[in-house]
Amino acid sequence: MSRRPTRPLGSRIAARAAGGAARLLLVLVGLFWLMPTVGLLLSSLRSPSDIAADGWWQVFAAPAQLTTENYRNLLANDTITHSLVATVLITVPATLLVIVIGALAGYAFAWLDFPGRDWWFLVVVGLLVVPVQVALVPVSKLFGAVGIFETTLGVVLFHTAFGLPFAIFLLRNFFAEIPRELLEAARLDGAGEIRLFTRVVLPLGGPAVASLGIFQFLWVWNDMLVALIFADAQSPPITVALQQQVRQFGNNVDVLAPGAFVSMVIPLLVFFAFQRQFVSGVMAGAVK
């Protein structure tokens, strides 16, 4: 039995040093990326006078500055709390509609034969390059004519319409990579198209669906342009509400800082909750 040749000690030390340097670099990049979030969090836990006096890093020298008074003020601010509810009422339906419709359409484009399938898919691909700004004026007139301008329904429909091309493109390409033999075996067992879609295709496409859900949720939650134009002025989403607070009360940092942090931390929690599925979907797409 032959022994495997051992690497020289110098090579092993160099390899470990290189690996340690790479890990240290990644940690430093991660800390640098998180610095704005940490700064906003610490600012949201300081009083307005402390914020005006010096920077947030002074908390490490004087931790007694930290207080939860700002968050109590935030909960007492009806504009911010109502805007958070309005944002949820917009983001959740817009995300679910895009996932459901995009998954059905992606399955149809991948595995169903119908007249003009390839041409219709080219139309979907072409819609990917249409900017949102082009549709603002005509869609505003259309929504005004049907009576859904400045309503939650109008914002949801707009986000759904502009999220579907990417959703269909992504899921169609992912579903098309499913082995044909697997689908044919399910059909031989008597599975119809609906059962095939729900029991075979969706479970296999779970990572792609999760990735799509994260992208759509982040896009809708952080959107300001569409919300500024189409949302109800009496119950705007959180992005518009914070912008209005800055315009009207530029010195109320005790409300703006915790409001901005809450607005930012919710998408982060969603991302980290589905991080494993997101990475699986990205890696699967990269391999395919």
Coordinates of all heavy atoms in Angstrom, one line a residue, residues 187-256:
R187 N -46.7 11.3 -15.3 CA -47.9 11.2 -16.1 C -48.4 9.8 -16.3 O -49.6 9.5 -16.4 CB -47.6 11.9 -17.5 CG -47.5 13.4 -17.4 CD -47.5 14.0 -18.8 NE -47.4 15.4 -18.8 CZ -46.3 16.1 -18.9 NH1 -45.2 15.5 -19.1 NH2 -46.4 17.5 -18.9
L188 N -47.4 8.8 -16.4 CA -47.8 7.4 -16.6 C -48.5 6.9 -15.3 O -49.3 6.0 -15.4 CB -46.6 6.6 -16.8 CG -45.9 6.7 -18.2 CD1 -44.6 5.9 -18.3 CD2 -46.9 6.3 -19.3
D189 N -48.2 7.5 -14.2 CA -48.9 7.1 -12.9 C -50.2 7.8 -12.8 O -50.9 7.6 -11.8 CB -48.0 7.5 -11.7 CG -46.8 6.6 -11.6 OD1 -46.8 5.5 -12.2 OD2 -45.8 7.1 -11.0
G190 N -50.7 8.5 -13.8 CA -52.0 9.1 -13.8 C -52.0 10.6 -13.3 O -53.1 11.1 -13.0
A191 N -50.9 11.2 -13.1 CA -50.9 12.6 -12.6 C -51.3 13.5 -13.7 O -50.8 13.5 -14.8 CB -49.5 13.0 -12.1
G192 N -52.3 14.4 -13.4 CA -52.6 15.5 -14.4 C -51.7 16.6 -14.3 O -50.7 16.6 -13.5
E193 N -51.9 17.7 -15.1 CA -51.0 18.8 -15.1 C -51.0 19.5 -13.8 O -49.9 20.0 -13.3 CB -51.4 19.8 -16.2 CG -51.3 19.2 -17.6 CD -49.9 18.8 -18.0 OE1 -48.9 19.3 -17.4 OE2 -49.7 17.9 -18.8
I194 N -52.2 19.7 -13.1 CA -52.2 20.4 -11.8 C -51.4 19.6 -10.8 O -50.6 20.2 -10.0 CB -53.7 20.7 -11.4 CG1 -54.3 21.6 -12.4 CG2 -53.7 21.3 -10.0 CD1 -55.8 21.9 -12.1
R195 N -51.7 18.3 -10.7 CA -51.0 17.5 -9.7 C -49.5 17.4 -10.0 O -48.7 17.4 -9.1 CB -51.6 16.1 -9.8 CG -51.2 15.2 -8.6 CD -51.8 13.8 -8.7 NE -51.4 13.0 -7.6 CZ -52.0 13.0 -6.4 NH1 -53.1 13.8 -6.2 NH2 -51.6 12.2 -5.4
L196 N -49.2 17.4 -11.3 CA -47.8 17.3 -11.7 C -47.1 18.6 -11.3 O -46.0 18.6 -10.8 CB -47.7 17.1 -13.2 CG -46.3 16.9 -13.8 CD1 -45.7 15.6 -13.3 CD2 -46.4 16.9 -15.3
F197 N -47.8 19.7 -11.5 CA -47.2 21.0 -11.1 C -47.0 21.2 -9.6 O -46.0 21.6 -9.1 CB -48.1 22.1 -11.6 CG -47.7 23.5 -11.2 CD1 -46.6 24.1 -11.7 CD2 -48.5 24.2 -10.2 CE1 -46.2 25.4 -11.3 CE2 -48.1 25.5 -9.8 CZ -47.0 26.1 -10.3
T198 N -48.0 20.8 -8.8 CA -48.0 21.0 -7.4 C -47.1 19.9 -6.6 O -46.5 20.2 -5.6 CB -49.4 21.0 -6.8 OG1 -50.1 19.7 -7.1 CG2 -50.2 22.1 -7.3
R199 N -47.1 18.7 -7.1 CA -46.4 17.6 -6.4 C -45.0 17.3 -6.9 O -44.2 16.7 -6.2 CB -47.3 16.3 -6.5 CG -48.6 16.4 -5.9 CD -48.5 16.6 -4.4 NE -49.8 16.7 -3.8 CZ -50.5 15.6 -3.3 NH1 -49.9 14.4 -3.4 NH2 -51.6 15.7 -2.7
V200 N -44.7 17.7 -8.2 CA -43.4 17.4 -8.7 C -42.6 18.7 -9.0 O -41.5 18.9 -8.5 CB -43.5 16.6 -10.0 CG1 -42.1 16.3 -10.6 CG2 -44.2 15.3 -9.7
V201 N -43.2 19.6 -9.8 CA -42.4 20.7 -10.3 C -42.1 21.7 -9.2 O -41.0 22.2 -9.0 CB -43.2 21.4 -11.5 CG1 -42.4 22.7 -11.9 CG2 -43.3 20.4 -12.6
L202 N -43.1 22.1 -8.4 CA -42.9 23.1 -7.4 C -42.0 22.6 -6.3 O -41.1 23.4 -5.9 CB -44.3 23.4 -6.7 CG -45.1 24.6 -7.4 CD1 -46.3 24.9 -6.5 CD2 -44.2 25.8 -7.5
P203 N -42.0 21.4 -5.8 CA -41.0 20.9 -4.8 C -39.6 21.0 -5.4 O -38.7 21.4 -4.7 CB -41.4 19.5 -4.4 CG -42.9 19.5 -4.7 CD -43.1 20.3 -5.9
L204 N -39.4 20.6 -6.6 CA -38.1 20.6 -7.2 C -37.6 22.1 -7.5 O -36.4 22.4 -7.4 CB -38.1 19.8 -8.5 CG -38.2 18.3 -8.4 CD1 -38.3 17.7 -9.8 CD2 -37.1 17.7 -7.6
G205 N -38.6 23.0 -7.7 CA -38.2 24.3 -8.0 C -38.3 25.2 -6.8 O -38.3 26.5 -6.9
G206 N -38.4 24.6 -5.6 CA -38.5 25.4 -4.3 C -37.4 26.4 -4.2 O -37.7 27.6 -3.8
P207 N -36.1 26.1 -4.4 CA -35.1 27.1 -4.3 C -35.2 28.3 -5.2 O -35.0 29.5 -4.8 CB -33.8 26.4 -4.6 CG -34.1 24.9 -4.2 CD -35.5 24.8 -4.6
A208 N -35.6 28.1 -6.4 CA -35.8 29.2 -7.4 C -37.0 30.0 -7.0 O -37.0 31.2 -7.1 CB -36.1 28.6 -8.8
V209 N -38.1 29.4 -6.5 CA -39.3 30.1 -6.0 C -38.9 31.0 -4.8 O -39.3 32.1 -4.7 CB -40.4 29.2 -5.7 CG1 -41.6 29.9 -5.1 CG2 -40.9 28.5 -7.0
A210 N -38.1 30.4 -3.9 CA -37.7 31.2 -2.7 C -36.8 32.4 -3.1 O -37.0 33.5 -2.6 CB -36.9 30.3 -1.8
S211 N -35.9 32.2 -4.1 CA -35.1 33.3 -4.5 C -35.9 34.4 -5.2 O -35.7 35.6 -4.9 CB -34.1 32.8 -5.6 OG -33.2 31.8 -5.0
L212 N -36.9 34.0 -6.0 CA -37.8 34.9 -6.6 C -38.6 35.7 -5.5 O -38.7 36.9 -5.6 CB -38.8 34.2 -7.5 CG -39.9 35.1 -8.1 CD1 -39.4 36.2 -8.9 CD2 -40.9 34.2 -8.9
G213 N -39.1 35.0 -4.5 CA -39.8 35.7 -3.4 C -39.0 36.7 -2.7 O -39.5 37.8 -2.4
I214 N -37.7 36.4 -2.4 CA -36.8 37.3 -1.8 C -36.6 38.6 -2.6 O -36.7 39.7 -2.1 CB -35.5 36.7 -1.4 CG1 -35.7 35.6 -0.3 CG2 -34.5 37.7 -0.9 CD1 -34.5 34.8 0.0
F215 N -36.3 38.4 -3.9 CA -36.1 39.5 -4.8 C -37.3 40.4 -4.9 O -37.2 41.6 -4.8 CB -35.7 39.0 -6.2 CG -34.3 38.6 -6.3 CD1 -33.9 37.3 -6.8 CD2 -33.3 39.5 -6.0 CE1 -32.6 37.0 -6.9 CE2 -31.9 39.1 -6.2 CZ -31.6 37.9 -6.6
Q216 N -38.5 39.8 -5.0 CA -39.7 40.6 -5.2 C -40.1 41.3 -3.9 O -40.5 42.5 -3.9 CB -40.9 39.6 -5.6 CG -42.2 40.3 -5.8 CD -42.3 41.3 -7.0 OE1 -41.3 41.3 -7.8 NE2 -43.3 42.0 -7.1
F217 N -39.9 40.6 -2.8 CA -40.2 41.2 -1.5 C -39.3 42.5 -1.3 O -39.8 43.5 -0.9 CB -40.0 40.2 -0.4 CG -40.4 40.7 1.0 CD1 -41.7 40.5 1.5 CD2 -39.5 41.4 1.8 CE1 -42.1 41.0 2.7 CE2 -39.9 41.9 3.0 CZ -41.2 41.7 3.5
L218 N -38.0 42.3 -1.5 CA -37.1 43.4 -1.3 C -37.4 44.6 -2.2 O -37.3 45.7 -1.8 CB -35.6 42.9 -1.5 CG -35.1 41.9 -0.5 CD1 -33.7 41.5 -0.8 CD2 -35.2 42.4 0.9
W219 N -37.7 44.3 -3.5 CA -38.0 45.3 -4.4 C -39.2 46.1 -4.1 O -39.2 47.3 -4.1 CB -38.1 44.7 -5.8 CG -38.5 45.7 -6.9 CD1 -37.8 46.9 -7.1 CD2 -39.5 45.7 -7.8 NE1 -38.4 47.6 -8.2 CE2 -39.4 46.9 -8.6 CE3 -40.5 44.8 -8.1 CZ2 -40.3 47.2 -9.7 CZ3 -41.4 45.1 -9.2 CH2 -41.3 46.2 -9.9
V220 N -40.3 45.4 -3.7 CA -41.5 46.1 -3.4 C -41.4 46.8 -2.0 O -41.9 48.0 -1.9 CB -42.7 45.1 -3.3 CG1 -44.0 45.8 -2.9 CG2 -42.9 44.4 -4.7
W221 N -40.8 46.2 -1.0 CA -40.7 46.8 0.3 C -39.9 48.1 0.2 O -40.2 49.1 0.8 CB -40.0 45.9 1.3 CG -40.0 46.4 2.7 CD1 -39.0 47.2 3.2 CD2 -40.9 46.2 3.7 NE1 -39.3 47.5 4.5 CE2 -40.4 46.9 4.8 CE3 -42.1 45.5 3.8 CZ2 -41.1 46.9 6.1 CZ3 -42.7 45.5 5.1 CH2 -42.3 46.2 6.2
N222 N -38.8 48.1 -0.6 CA -37.9 49.3 -0.6 C -38.3 50.3 -1.7 O -37.6 51.3 -1.9 CB -36.5 48.8 -0.9 CG -35.9 48.0 0.3 OD1 -36.1 48.4 1.4 ND2 -35.2 47.0 0.0
D223 N -39.4 50.0 -2.4 CA -39.7 50.9 -3.5 C -40.3 52.2 -3.0 O -41.0 52.3 -1.9 CB -40.8 50.3 -4.4 CG -41.5 51.3 -5.3 OD1 -40.8 51.7 -6.3 OD2 -42.6 51.7 -5.0
M224 N -39.9 53.3 -3.7 CA -40.4 54.6 -3.3 C -41.1 55.3 -4.4 O -42.1 56.0 -4.3 CB -39.3 55.5 -2.7 CG -39.8 56.9 -2.3 SD -38.5 57.8 -1.5 CE -39.4 59.4 -1.2
L225 N -40.6 55.1 -5.7 CA -41.1 55.8 -6.8 C -42.6 55.5 -7.1 O -43.5 56.3 -7.2 CB -40.3 55.5 -8.1 CG -40.7 56.1 -9.4 CD1 -40.8 57.6 -9.3 CD2 -39.9 55.6 -10.5
V226 N -42.8 54.2 -7.2 CA -44.2 53.7 -7.5 C -45.1 54.1 -6.3 O -46.3 54.5 -6.6 CB -44.2 52.2 -7.7 CG1 -45.6 51.7 -7.9 CG2 -43.4 51.9 -9.0
A227 N -44.7 53.9 -5.1 CA -45.5 54.2 -3.9 C -45.8 55.7 -3.9 O -46.9 56.1 -3.5 CB -44.8 53.8 -2.7
L228 N -44.8 56.5 -4.3 CA -45.0 58.0 -4.2 C -46.1 58.4 -5.2 O -46.8 59.4 -4.9 CB -43.7 58.7 -4.5 CG -43.6 60.2 -4.2 CD1 -43.8 60.5 -2.8 CD2 -42.3 60.7 -4.7
I229 N -46.3 57.7 -6.3 CA -47.2 58.1 -7.3 C -48.6 57.4 -7.1 O -49.6 58.1 -7.3 CB -46.6 57.8 -8.7 CG1 -45.4 58.7 -8.9 CG2 -47.7 58.1 -9.8 CD1 -44.7 58.4 -10.2
F230 N -48.6 56.1 -6.9 CA -49.8 55.4 -6.9 C -50.4 55.1 -5.6 O -51.6 54.7 -5.5 CB -49.6 54.0 -7.6 CG -49.2 54.2 -9.1 CD1 -47.9 54.2 -9.5 CD2 -50.2 54.3 -10.0 CE1 -47.6 54.3 -10.8 CE2 -49.9 54.4 -11.4 CZ -48.6 54.4 -11.8
A231 N -49.7 55.2 -4.5 CA -50.2 54.9 -3.2 C -51.2 56.0 -2.7 O -51.1 57.1 -3.1 CB -49.1 54.6 -2.2
D232 N -52.0 55.6 -1.7 CA -52.9 56.5 -1.1 C -52.2 57.5 -0.2 O -51.4 57.1 0.6 CB -54.0 55.7 -0.2 CG -55.0 56.6 0.3 OD1 -55.0 57.9 0.1 OD2 -55.9 56.1 1.0
A233 N -52.4 58.8 -0.4 CA -51.7 59.8 0.3 C -52.0 59.7 1.8 O -51.2 60.2 2.7 CB -51.9 61.2 -0.2
Q234 N -53.2 59.2 2.2 CA -53.6 59.1 3.6 C -52.9 57.9 4.3 O -52.9 57.9 5.5 CB -55.1 59.0 3.7 CG -55.8 60.2 3.0 CD -55.4 61.5 3.6 OE1 -55.2 61.7 4.8 NE2 -55.2 62.5 2.7
S235 N -52.5 56.9 3.6 CA -51.9 55.7 4.2 C -50.7 55.3 3.3 O -50.8 54.2 2.7 CB -52.9 54.6 4.4 OG -53.5 54.2 3.1
P236 N -49.6 56.0 3.2 CA -48.5 55.7 2.4 C -47.7 54.6 2.9 O -47.7 54.4 4.1 CB -47.7 57.0 2.3 CG -48.0 57.7 3.6 CD -49.4 57.3 4.0
P237 N -46.9 53.9 2.1 CA -45.9 53.0 2.6 C -44.8 53.6 3.4 O -44.7 54.9 3.5 CB -45.3 52.3 1.3 CG -46.3 52.6 0.3 CD -46.9 54.0 0.6
I238 N -44.0 52.8 4.1 CA -43.0 53.4 5.0 C -42.0 54.3 4.3 O -41.5 55.2 4.9 CB -42.3 52.2 5.7 CG1 -41.4 52.7 6.8 CG2 -41.6 51.3 4.8 CD1 -42.0 53.5 7.9
T239 N -41.6 53.9 3.1 CA -40.6 54.8 2.4 C -41.1 56.2 2.2 O -40.4 57.2 2.4 CB -40.2 54.1 1.1 OG1 -41.4 53.8 0.3 CG2 -39.4 52.9 1.3
V240 N -42.4 56.3 1.8 CA -43.0 57.6 1.5 C -43.2 58.3 2.8 O -43.0 59.5 3.0 CB -44.3 57.5 0.7 CG1 -44.9 58.8 0.5 CG2 -44.0 56.8 -0.6
A241 N -43.7 57.6 3.9 CA -43.9 58.2 5.2 C -42.7 58.8 5.8 O -42.7 59.9 6.3 CB -44.5 57.1 6.1
L242 N -41.6 58.1 5.7 CA -40.3 58.6 6.2 C -39.9 59.8 5.4 O -39.4 60.8 6.0 CB -39.2 57.6 6.1 CG -39.4 56.4 7.1 CD1 -38.3 55.3 6.9 CD2 -39.3 56.9 8.6
Q243 N -40.1 59.8 4.1 CA -39.7 61.0 3.3 C -40.6 62.2 3.7 O -40.1 63.3 3.7 CB -39.9 60.7 1.8 CG -39.4 61.8 0.8 CD -40.6 62.6 0.4 OE1 -41.8 62.3 0.6 NE2 -40.3 63.8 -0.1
Q244 N -41.8 62.0 4.0 CA -42.7 63.1 4.4 C -42.3 63.6 5.7 O -42.4 64.8 6.0 CB -44.2 62.6 4.4 CG -44.7 62.3 3.0 CD -46.1 61.7 3.0 OE1 -46.6 61.3 4.1 NE2 -46.8 61.6 1.9
Q245 N -41.9 62.7 6.6 CA -41.4 63.1 7.9 C -40.2 64.0 7.8 O -40.1 65.0 8.5 CB -41.1 61.9 8.8 CG -42.3 61.1 9.2 CD -43.1 61.8 10.3 OE1 -42.6 62.2 11.3 NE2 -44.4 61.8 10.1
V246 N -39.3 63.7 6.9 CA -38.1 64.5 6.7 C -38.5 65.9 6.2 O -38.0 66.9 6.6 CB -37.1 63.8 5.8 CG1 -36.0 64.7 5.4 CG2 -36.6 62.6 6.4
R247 N -39.4 65.9 5.3 CA -39.8 67.2 4.7 C -40.6 68.1 5.6 O -40.4 69.3 5.7 CB -40.7 66.9 3.5 CG -41.1 68.1 2.7 CD -42.0 67.7 1.5 NE -43.2 67.1 2.0 CZ -44.1 66.4 1.2 NH1 -43.8 66.3 -0.1 NH2 -45.2 65.8 1.7
Q248 N -41.4 67.5 6.5 CA -42.2 68.3 7.4 C -41.6 68.6 8.7 O -41.6 69.7 9.2 CB -43.6 67.5 7.7 CG -44.4 67.3 6.4 CD -45.7 66.5 6.7 OE1 -45.9 66.1 7.8 NE2 -46.5 66.3 5.7
F249 N -40.9 67.6 9.2 CA -40.2 67.8 10.6 C -38.8 67.3 10.5 O -38.4 66.2 10.9 CB -41.0 67.0 11.6 CG -42.5 67.2 11.6 CD1 -43.3 66.2 11.1 CD2 -43.0 68.4 12.0 CE1 -44.7 66.4 11.1 CE2 -44.4 68.5 12.0 CZ -45.2 67.5 11.5
G250 N -37.9 68.2 9.9 CA -36.6 67.8 9.6 C -35.8 67.5 10.9 O -34.7 66.9 10.8
N251 N -36.2 67.9 12.0 CA -35.4 67.7 13.2 C -35.9 66.6 14.1 O -35.4 66.4 15.2 CB -35.3 69.0 14.0 CG -36.7 69.5 14.5 OD1 -37.7 69.0 13.9 ND2 -36.8 70.4 15.3
N252 N -36.9 65.8 13.7 CA -37.4 64.8 14.6 C -36.6 63.5 14.3 O -37.2 62.4 13.9 CB -38.9 64.5 14.4 CG -39.3 64.2 12.9 OD1 -38.5 64.4 12.0 ND2 -40.4 63.6 12.7
V253 N -35.4 63.5 14.7 CA -34.5 62.3 14.5 C -34.9 61.2 15.4 O -34.7 60.0 15.0 CB -33.0 62.7 14.7 CG1 -32.1 61.6 14.4 CG2 -32.7 64.0 13.9
D254 N -35.6 61.5 16.5 CA -36.0 60.4 17.4 C -37.0 59.5 16.8 O -37.2 58.4 17.3 CB -36.5 61.1 18.7 CG -37.6 62.0 18.5 OD1 -37.6 62.7 17.4 OD2 -38.5 62.1 19.3
V255 N -37.7 60.0 15.7 CA -38.7 59.1 15.0 C -38.1 58.6 13.7 O -38.3 57.4 13.4 CB -40.0 59.9 14.8 CG1 -40.9 59.1 13.9 CG2 -40.7 60.3 16.1
L256 N -37.3 59.4 13.1 CA -36.8 59.0 11.8 C -35.8 57.9 11.9 O -35.8 56.9 11.1 CB -36.1 60.2 11.1 CG -37.1 61.3 10.6 CD1 -36.3 62.5 10.1 CD2 -38.1 60.8 9.6

